[in-house]
Amino acid sequence: MSGTRGAFARREWGPLFTTVRTALTARRWRAVPMTLAAVCLTALFQLVQNQDWGYQPVQDIGSVRAEDPLWLALLRTPLSLFVPALDLPVWGALAQVLLVFGIAEICLGRWRTLGIAYLATLAGTLYARVGIALGPEGPLGLPASDARVVDTGPSAAVVGLAVYVCWRYGAVWTGGAVVVAMVVEVIVKPNLAGKEHLAAIAGILVLIGVQAWRERGQEGVEPRPGARSWKPPIKS
């Protein structure tokens, strides 16, 4: 039985663990400069928004609501990833960013990590508008009151990155567990945040589907001279 569990662990997490361990052994914290900057930025926003003078400026640059004009929401969305939700402990947001962003930065590279994080967050942000337009009657709808809910924090980006990295490194069961956990979250507590997490996953699954289709079409095709392979590991 222990041998079976060991084989499963090696198959599920072996490539991912090897990539992360190799990068951290060789470069230590220099392997994740973007992640460290993101952690510091999140901590800074938390510190500033808890000051009497700092709350409104943070809201003005990184707070998103579905009732906001779309152009303003799109402008604020990139920084909204790093503004911790006021009703949740900041250590949770910092831990999420350090762990998941760090693994993704090592495995995917910093720019791809930021792009996927933004895509996941944007999918959640846009879903909120669609859900409110659908109304609370349907399973995908939201009550009108959710238009005034402040929508910030890294959770949608974290969920999207986790699913993407699991797919890219063959950790299928782990990625499936993340999806199931988000579905259970919505069933137990059907609020805006939970449904945005599912929207983030849906956006990432579309990206995965497109990339898998493109890669199948390129099987057997020799890469152009000087072209970089998409396959992992991809380093910053």
Side-chain angles (χ1 to χ4, degrees), residues 27 33 35 37 54 82 86 110 116 141 143 164 194 206 217 220 232 234:
R27 302 178 62 195
T35 298
F82 308 109
L86 286 170
R110 65 177 66 100
I116 292 169
Y164 187 90
V206 170
I234 296 170

Side-chain angles (χ1 to χ4, degrees), residues 10-96:
R10 287 190 296 272
R11 185 172 59 252
E12 182 76 4
W13 301 304
L16 182 60
F17 176 77
T18 300
T19 300
V20 173
R21 182 185 62 181
T22 301
L24 291 179
T25 300
R27 302 178 62 195
R28 298 187 183 276
W29 293 112
R30 290 175 297 160
V32 288
M34 182 272 293
T35 298
L36 296 179
V39 169
C40 292
L41 183 60
T42 303
L44 177 63
F45 275 137
Q46 173 68 9
L47 177 65
V48 171
Q49 74 176 352
N50 278 284
Q51 309 301 316
D52 291 338
W53 55 267
Y55 173 77
Q56 195 56 51
V58 171
Q59 295 295 299
D60 291 340
I61 65 174
S63 176
V64 177
R65 297 178 179 84
E67 67 180 3
D68 294 335
L70 180 59
W71 67 268
L72 182 60
L74 294 176
L75 190 64
R76 290 174 173 174
T77 295
L79 281 179
S80 74
L81 275 73
F82 308 109
V83 178
L86 286 170
D87 58 340
L88 296 174
V90 68
W91 61 262
L94 295 176
Q96 287 177 3

Side-chain angles (χ1 to χ4, degrees), residues 151-178:
D151 180 18
T152 60
S155 58
V158 164
V159 169
L161 282 169
V163 170
Y164 187 90
V165 171
C166 286
W167 167 72
R168 180 50 65 184
Y169 277 77
V172 178
W173 289 98
T174 305
V178 173

